[in-house]
Amino acid sequence: MIKRLLLSLALLPCLSFAGPGHDHGHDEGPTVTDPNSPQRNPDGSVFLPKQTQRFMRLRTVVSEYQVLPRSLVLYGRIVAGSNAGSKVQALQAGRLSIPNEFLPIVGNRVEKGQLLAKITLAQDAQENTLQEAEIADLREQLKLAQMEKERLAKLTGAVAQRKIDAATSKVSGLRARIRALGKGAKGKTDNVYAQTSGIVTGSYASNGQAVQAGDLLLELIDPAKLQVEAVTFDPSLPSNIDQAGFSIGTQRIALRYQGRSPQLRQQALPLRFAIPFVADDDESVEEKAERLGLVAGLPVQITVQTREKIKGVAVPAKSLVRNSSNQTTVWVKLAPEHYESRVVRFQPLDAEHVSITDGLNDGERVVIHAANLLNQIR
């Protein structure tokens, strides 16, 4: 009986069971997504609920084609003009002495006419010996001149008055020469003053240091007199400039075109712009320049508006984003919760705005805030 049971079990077909996750007899249903969550549709548009729009602080503006100036972008840098930078140098050789025991350091402000240092002029032993010998000779000449003057004074009326005057003048001249040489023999002191006001950008000397004529002591730059230099390859642009400006962070700074160089530099035409600071009740020109953080050598991107006109829609530059094909696009609101990406053509308008010349229609609502967040929805 047992043998028959074992034989029947051996003849039964083997039963196999799929492990967890491998049972194809009972497929699970598709994953259900939340229809009220932000999502990108198959056609590339985006569904964005009102609650998410408020959280992202999404803002739009109605597009309207206007007549706008044609603009272009130039690359330049901030430079110190001839009246903005100053160098304090030793005019003669000697030993440096500083009233406050140290020169102003980098970042200190110096006012025009401020006493910065004193230089005790250097003299060698041979020069001192020659000066003392010359003083001794002049003293002997002075004694003879005084004797001649006294003799002529006793002969007043018998000699011409011009001879008496000449003797008196000679005595005065010899005394002046003796005084001048006496000061030189004792060591003359030369004062060093600041020729312009500004911020110290370099300090190269210390108290008691021996300096030579022409040694650089300080370098100064006045931030309120900085300029901007740019280059262009279009020789007709200077006569067509209307406005210009650049941005540092969130601060827009206007520029005033000054002129161009009459000579090319590496096949480009250098242009100069002034930064017209205006004082107000809250800040002086110097305080405003320092607050903006302008420094010489800083590269800047300048937007130049010309007198030529084009037709376009003015929107903030932050409205532009890139799609997956690396094309420049903006987002347009089609319905209260439905947005579509549009490929556009644009030109710069100013430091913060661009002019869209193609890709939009009048009356469409363009996203001008949080466009980058909207572009990341998948």
Side-chain angles (χ1 to χ4, degrees):
M1 187 66 178
I2 295 176
K3 291 182 178 180
R4 290 180 181 178
L5 180 59
L6 293 174
L7 182 61
S8 62
L9 290 175
L11 294 176
L12 289 175
C14 296
L15 299 177
S16 61
F17 298 92
H22 298 279
D23 189 357
H24 301 287
H26 302 282
D27 293 336
E28 296 181 359
T31 303
V32 179
T33 59
D34 185 2
N36 294 322
S37 63
Q39 54 188 300
R40 188 175 291 253
N41 298 322
D43 61 356
S45 62
V46 168
F47 170 74
L48 193 65
K50 283 290 185 179
Q51 183 178 1
T52 307
Q53 294 181 32
R54 288 190 290 268
F55 177 77
M56 295 168 54
R57 298 182 180 179
L58 189 142
R59 298 290 183 271
T60 61
V61 68
V62 178
S63 62
E64 179 183 1
Y65 278 88
Q66 304 173 359
V67 177
L68 303 172
R70 185 180 72 86
S71 303
L72 65 157
V73 175
L74 301 179
Y75 295 93
R77 59 189 179 92
I78 298 177
V79 297
S82 58
N83 62 337
S86 175
K87 294 183 178 181
V88 180
Q89 296 175 288
L91 299 180
Q92 301 186 55
R95 185 171 297 278
L96 195 69
S97 60
I98 303 172
N100 298 324
E101 298 184 354
F102 65 92
L103 281 175
I105 61 175
V106 175
N108 290 156
R109 182 165 188 85
V110 173
E111 300 298 334
K112 183 178 180 179
Q114 179 179 337
L115 177 63
L116 301 176
K118 295 183 178 181
I119 298 177
T120 303
L121 303 185
Q123 290 181 330
D124 56 21
Q126 184 178 2
E127 185 178 357
N128 286 333
T129 301
L130 293 175
Q131 285 185 349
E132 291 175 358
E134 187 175 358
I135 290 173
D137 182 59
L138 291 174
R139 284 174 179 171
E140 292 299 325
Q141 294 181 31
L142 179 61
K143 289 179 182 180
L144 295 175
Q146 286 176 336
M147 292 172 60
E148 181 66 14
K149 176 184 175 183
E150 292 173 0
R151 186 181 68 81
L152 293 175
K154 293 177 182 180
L155 298 175
T156 303
V159 296
Q161 183 63 34
R162 59 183 179 82
K163 292 185 178 182
I164 299 176
D165 294 341
T168 303
S169 177
K170 184 177 181 180
V171 170
S172 300
L174 289 172
R175 286 175 178 171
R177 291 178 62 186
I178 292 172
R179 285 195 301 268
L181 288 173
K183 291 181 179 179
K186 294 177 182 178
K188 187 179 178 181
T189 300
D190 186 24
N191 294 332
V192 180
Y193 298 97
Q195 300 300 315
T196 60
S197 300
I199 306 297
V200 178
T201 61
S203 181
Y204 308 105
S206 58
N207 195 22
Q209 178 178 339
V211 295
Q212 300 296 323
D215 283 357
L216 183 61
L217 306 180
L218 288 177
E219 284 185 309
L220 308 175
I221 285 182
D222 189 351
K225 297 179 180 179
L226 291 173
Q227 299 177 345
V228 176
E229 183 179 80
V231 294
T232 179
F233 294 93
D234 183 5
S236 64
L237 176 62
S239 61
N240 200 23
I241 294 177
D242 185 25
Q243 298 180 16
F246 69 98
S247 296
I248 293 183
T250 59
Q251 183 70 36
R252 170 172 167 75
I253 302 175
L255 296 175
R256 184 180 68 249
Y257 174 65
Q258 284 190 315
R260 63 174 179 85
S261 171
Q263 183 177 2
L264 294 179
R265 183 191 304 166
Q266 296 180 352
Q267 307 304 316
L269 185 65
L271 307 177
R272 275 296 178 104
F273 298 87
I275 305 176
F277 291 108
V278 179
D280 51 35
D281 297 336
D282 298 330
E283 288 182 310
S284 64
V285 172
E286 292 78 11
E287 292 173 343
K288 184 174 294 185
E290 293 181 19
R291 176 178 58 81
L292 292 175
L294 301 181
V295 293
L298 180 69
V300 293
Q301 183 174 298
I302 307 164
T303 304
V304 177
Q305 293 185 356
T306 66
R307 295 184 177 89
E308 300 177 13
K309 301 298 181 180
I310 60 173
K311 196 173 182 181
V313 179
V315 297
K318 60 184 179 181
S319 303
L320 302 178
V321 293
R322 294 279 183 174
N323 61 12
S324 58
S325 301
N326 203 30
Q327 296 173 307
T328 302
T329 64
V330 296
W331 284 94
V332 177
K333 185 175 184 179
L334 301 180
E337 296 180 338
H338 191 197
Y339 293 85
E340 183 182 57
S341 177
R342 296 280 184 84
V343 178
V344 296
R345 295 179 181 178
F346 73 97
Q347 291 187 7
L349 182 59
D350 56 35
E352 298 177 351
H353 297 81
V354 296
S355 174
I356 297 178
T357 58
D358 190 21
L360 288 177
N361 299 318
D362 280 329
E364 293 184 315
R365 303 196 68 90
V366 181
V367 177
I368 61 172
H369 190 268
N372 58 334
L373 299 177
L374 181 60
N375 197 52
Q376 296 176 21
I377 297 177
R378 295 291 183 267

